[in-house]
């Protein structure tokens, strides 16, 4: 049996006090913005709006506005965004362990609540950890969803949309799903020359006919 002094030292060594980090500069007030000149959704500094509900509302409106310029329903693009974001390999708060990634915490039943989850979860991560990785990640998913839409590969888009719906719990995993008319792909008159080779799926693909 070790001496009392040795046991006491071991106990003290095993206990570590919590470390508090004191920041001298306040966090920047950020929001999602529809940057029309660049054609992208951006994360920008907000000088005037500082209440959290106001930031959520402004950011939600920016994303809906960003998606409203296409022929398809914004709901379809929100589901595609979720299909890109809801993955274990994504940064927190959406990713994490394969057995319990962050996105499983979402339990909403509507598209509006899904968009709210994407926005509020990324902001809460920013406020808690000060890093803006989650905000930038959501913006990149939103931008990519619209770019993929304008690229026009309906098979990739449908697969991402169904993935988003399944991971959000809005349709069953183990049943075949028919895409509702309101959520179907609509080909744009002019196609974007955006590179889309970053997405790869092993499922069967059909040829996409370009409009005449």
């Amino acid at each position: 049996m070790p001496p009392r002094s040795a046991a006491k030292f071991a106990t003290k060594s095993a206990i570590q006090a919590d470390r508090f980090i004191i920041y001298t500069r306040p966090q920047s007030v950020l929001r999602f913005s529809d940057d029309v000149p660049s054609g992208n959704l951006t994360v920008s500094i907000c000088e005037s709006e500082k209440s959290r509900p106001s930031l959520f509302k402004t950011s939600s409106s920016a994303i809906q506005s960003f998606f409203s310029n296409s022929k398809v329903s914004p709901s379809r693009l929100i589901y595609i965004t979720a299909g890109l974001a809801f993955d274990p390999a994504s940064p927190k708060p959406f990713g994490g362990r394969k057995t319990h990634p962050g996105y499983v915490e979402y339990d909403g039943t509507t598209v509006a609540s899904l968009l709210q989850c994407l926005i509020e979860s990324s902001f809460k991560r920013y406020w808690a950890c000060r890093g803006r990785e989650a905000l930038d990640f959501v913006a990149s998913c939103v931008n990519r969803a619209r770019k993929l839409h304008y690229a026009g590969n309906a098979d990739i888009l449908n697969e991402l949309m169904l993935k988003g719906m399944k991971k959000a719990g809005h349709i069953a995993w183990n049943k075949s799903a028919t895409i509702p008319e309101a959520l179907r792909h609509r080909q744009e008159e002019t196609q974007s020359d955006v590179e889309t080779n970053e997405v790869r799926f092993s499922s069967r693909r059909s040829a996409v006919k370009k409009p005449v």
Side-chain angles (χ1 to χ4, degrees), residues 4-5 8 16-17 45 55 65 68 70 72 86 96 113 116 132-133 135 144 151-152 179 186 190 198 200 212:
R4 285 179 94 182
S5 59
K8 186 176 181 181
Q16 296 182 357
I45 295 177
L55 289 173
S65 173
S68 67
S70 62
V72 298
F86 284 8
S113 69
Q116 182 181 6
R132 51 181 282 171
E133 181 183 21
L135 292 169
R144 195 171 175 200
I179 297 176
R186 301 285 186 270
T190 58
E198 295 178 357
R200 290 290 181 267
V212 177

Side-chain angles (χ1 to χ4, degrees), residues 33-72:
S33 300
D34 181 6
D35 187 14
V36 176
S38 70
N40 289 305
L41 185 82
T42 61
V43 179
S44 61
I45 295 177
C46 175
E47 300 293 348
S48 57
E49 301 174 41
K50 294 187 178 181
S51 72
R52 295 188 176 188
S54 179
L55 289 173
F56 293 153
K57 184 177 180 180
T58 302
S59 295
S60 178
S61 297
I63 294 175
Q64 291 176 348
S65 173
F66 184 70
F67 282 157
S68 67
N69 294 323
S70 62
K71 287 186 175 182
V72 298

Side-chain angles (χ1 to χ4, degrees), residues 133-198:
E133 181 183 21
L135 292 169
D136 290 334
F137 175 70
V138 169
S140 70
C141 289
V142 168
N143 286 323
R144 195 171 175 200
R146 197 174 79 160
K147 287 176 182 178
L148 285 169
H149 166 69
Y150 277 97
N153 192 320
D155 288 341
I156 288 179
L157 292 162
N158 289 339
E159 201 163 342
L160 279 170
M161 187 191 72
L162 291 173
K163 177 184 175 184
M165 295 176 77
K166 288 179 178 180
K167 293 202 170 185
H170 291 185
I171 59 174
W173 272 98
N174 55 353
K175 295 181 180 179
S176 60
T178 301
I179 297 176
E181 178 66 29
L183 294 178
R184 290 181 183 174
H185 178 67
R186 301 285 186 270
Q187 201 81 353
E188 300 291 337
E189 293 180 3
T190 58
Q191 297 300 306
S192 170
D193 59 354
V194 177
E195 291 289 337
T196 60
N197 57 0
E198 295 178 357

